[in-house]
Amino acid sequence: MAMNTRRGFRFTTYEAPDQTPFEKLFEIFQELITHTSGDVEEALDWLRELDKEYELTDEDYTIDDFIEDLKAKGFIREELDNDADQGEGDGEEGDGGGNLLITAKLERMLRQRALDQIFGKLKRSGSGNHKTGKSGRGDEHTGEFREYRFGDSLEHISMTESLKNAQINHGLDSFSLSEEDLVVEDTQYKAQMSTVLMIDISHSMILYGEDRITPAKKVAMALAELITTRYPKDTLDILVFGNDAWPIPIKDLPYLKVGPYHTNTVAGLQLAMDMLRRKRNTNKQIFMITDGKPSCLRLPNGDYYKNSVGLDDYIVEKCYAMAQQARKLHIPITTFMIAQDPYLMQFVRQFTQANKGKAFYTGLKGLGEMIFEDYEQNRRKRIK
């Protein structure tokens, strides 16, 4: 660590911030509970195994002490009866009494932690800073002043600058303030954005020795926290798609799991567009996180048409049609393709061309930063 002195810099040995035994374990526990999709017992089992290997605790503070602290601080609660109320965002019911569940307080903390992990360098501001670049009667201050014009809102008058003008124009002896002295601070309109985030929960998201769903879940939690805290006028809806597609509330993100599903991309896109049709915001967009090819459709009679071998022309053409439909509705689709298979990349290219959207071919590393940067870029311009 460098310390600035009059003679230059003096370097001292870095000292890690002091953490209590609870704080050290709590950092690990939050990561584990994300991987276990909110399963407290499984996360604690993992924590015990780590404790055996790395001696995280001692006789003065044990895992049992940690569990009691989690309860006392309101991060987990014990469900004594299967028929008890599940409450906000609770996971699946246990097999009997004494089932440990995370609370809404911890759910919020997990979202904030994901935001800090992925968007840690993000500068925080009060109510958001997305601008269209057009000045007018907006609600975002530019720091620039102009003369008062009839119709300007009174709250935009800069009294400090106006009084200074009055003193310059009329002198200090007899104070007078006229309309010509008034100045207002320019404002900008803040473009508002409605976003739907689609998350693939087909079985391939945990195949091939790679956990792909946990990074996708973290991205969703971080994006949700970003929008609700920094851009409260924006909207974010989240849906998951496997054989079918369905919306999930933000509070349920920690519990998100992969199922034994195929990939019904068409159902996901249909639901996303239905959600966005109901939004008043002019700017609308779809983010899609997926690692596989579309392999499933639901037919009009309710049956599922599935084909996991290669790219099925019938399914692919339906995807292209959905991309074109979204384009007509002025809804760009940004696809974040986790897989790198050449034939899948070709499909994504054609899908993106049909929508005039964007595609990113990425691994799991940097996925969150990439989504954030694209969100910010789209948010600064009006999507037409």
Side-chain angles (χ1 to χ4, degrees):
M1 179 175 65
M3 299 179 64
N4 195 357
T5 69
R6 291 184 177 181
R7 292 177 295 179
F9 290 91
R10 178 166 58 87
F11 290 88
T12 59
T13 304
Y14 172 76
E15 295 182 4
D18 290 333
Q19 284 186 306
T20 64
F22 173 82
E23 290 170 340
K24 292 177 182 178
L25 291 176
F26 192 48
E27 278 295 310
I28 301 171
F29 178 74
Q30 288 179 86
E31 187 68 25
L32 293 176
I33 202 71
T34 304
H35 282 269
T36 63
S37 297
D39 189 323
V40 176
E41 296 290 356
E42 185 181 356
L44 290 173
D45 287 343
W46 285 15
L47 188 61
R48 289 188 179 96
E49 290 300 317
L50 291 172
D51 185 29
K52 290 178 184 177
E53 185 170 354
Y54 298 103
E55 298 181 351
L56 302 175
T57 66
D58 55 32
E59 59 183 12
D60 294 326
Y61 193 83
T62 67
I63 295 294
D64 289 335
D65 293 327
F66 174 66
I67 294 172
E68 290 306 311
D69 277 349
L70 286 174
K71 293 178 182 178
K73 294 176 184 295
F75 294 125
I76 65 173
R77 65 182 182 86
E78 190 168 7
E79 184 187 61
L80 299 178
D81 193 311
N82 273 343
D83 295 329
D85 250 351
Q86 290 293 310
E88 179 182 352
D90 293 340
E92 297 177 357
E93 293 181 352
D95 297 328
N99 191 31
L100 294 175
L101 303 170
I102 70 175
T103 63
K105 179 180 179 180
L106 183 51
E107 290 169 2
R108 290 190 297 269
M109 188 168 287
L110 291 174
R111 293 196 296 269
Q112 181 60 55
R113 184 173 185 269
L115 179 63
D116 291 339
Q117 283 182 331
I118 295 174
F119 308 139
K121 295 180 181 179
L122 175 65
K123 292 182 180 178
R124 287 161 174 78
S125 62
S127 60
N129 63 356
H130 294 315
K131 307 177 180 71
T132 64
K134 299 178 181 179
S135 61
R137 298 178 198 166
D139 51 4
E140 184 77 14
H141 294 285
T142 67
E144 298 178 356
F145 299 96
R146 61 170 174 80
E147 72 282 358
Y148 172 83
R149 292 194 292 261
F150 178 78
D152 283 331
S153 178
L154 293 178
E155 62 263 23
H156 289 155
I157 295 177
S158 172
M159 294 307 299
T160 302
E161 294 296 320
S162 299
L163 290 173
K164 184 172 73 173
N165 283 348
Q167 291 174 350
I168 293 172
N169 295 335
H170 308 292
L172 296 175
D173 295 334
S174 72
F175 177 77
S176 174
L177 179 68
S178 65
E179 183 177 331
E180 287 72 23
D181 301 322
L182 297 177
V183 294
V184 298
E185 185 176 359
D186 248 349
T187 55
Q188 290 180 314
Y189 293 107
K190 287 189 293 186
Q192 297 174 19
M193 175 72 75
S194 290
T195 302
V196 173
L197 176 63
M198 298 173 50
I199 304 176
D200 184 350
I201 59 167
S202 62
H203 190 53
S204 62
M205 290 287 278
I206 55 170
L207 287 180
Y208 316 118
E210 186 174 51
D211 176 10
R212 296 168 173 174
I213 191 63
T214 300
K217 181 167 37 178
K218 282 188 176 183
V219 167
M221 288 193 292
L223 193 60
E225 190 68 9
L226 171 75
I227 291 175
T228 55
T229 58
R230 189 177 182 189
Y231 308 126
K233 292 186 179 181
D234 289 7
T235 67
L236 174 67
D237 291 281
I238 299 170
L239 68 84
V240 295
F241 62 105
N243 291 349
D244 295 292
W246 60 94
I248 62 170
I250 289 173
K251 64 184 177 62
D252 284 353
L253 280 171
Y255 311 101
L256 189 59
K257 296 180 180 179
V258 167
Y261 306 125
H262 288 70
T263 308
N264 192 343
T265 307
V266 169
L269 292 169
Q270 286 175 331
L271 179 57
M273 284 189 281
D274 286 343
M275 289 175 163
L276 290 174
R277 282 191 185 97
R278 296 192 290 268
K279 304 297 182 183
R280 291 184 176 182
N281 292 345
T282 303
N283 291 346
K284 302 175 182 181
Q285 64 180 352
I286 296 172
F287 285 168
M288 178 167 62
I289 303 175
T290 183
D291 75 329
K293 58 184 175 293
S295 59
C296 177
L297 284 176
R298 192 164 191 178
L299 301 175
N301 64 4
D303 293 338
Y304 292 97
Y305 174 78
K306 302 174 183 177
N307 185 358
S308 299
V309 181
L311 282 170
D312 186 287
D313 289 341
Y314 178 64
I315 297 176
V316 166
E317 288 302 321
K318 291 288 186 181
C319 289
Y320 294 156
M322 292 303 300
Q324 292 169 348
Q325 185 177 342
R327 179 186 173 187
K328 292 178 182 178
L329 294 172
H330 308 295
I331 301 174
I333 303 170
T334 304
T335 305
F336 297 89
M337 190 68 176
I338 299 173
Q340 299 287 337
D341 307 67
Y343 77 103
L344 291 180
M345 293 170 70
Q346 177 62 26
F347 158 71
V348 172
R349 276 193 289 269
Q350 294 183 16
F351 176 86
T352 302
Q353 184 177 4
N355 176 255
K356 298 298 181 185
K358 285 181 286 187
F360 295 91
Y361 307 96
T362 175
L364 298 175
K365 186 177 180 181
L367 175 64
E369 291 86 344
M370 196 174 297
I371 288 181
F372 165 70
E373 289 172 4
D374 196 62
Y375 178 82
E376 287 281 340
Q377 181 180 350
N378 291 347
R379 193 56 183 76
R380 292 189 190 106
K381 66 183 179 182
R382 295 188 68 80
I383 298 175
K384 297 179 180 180

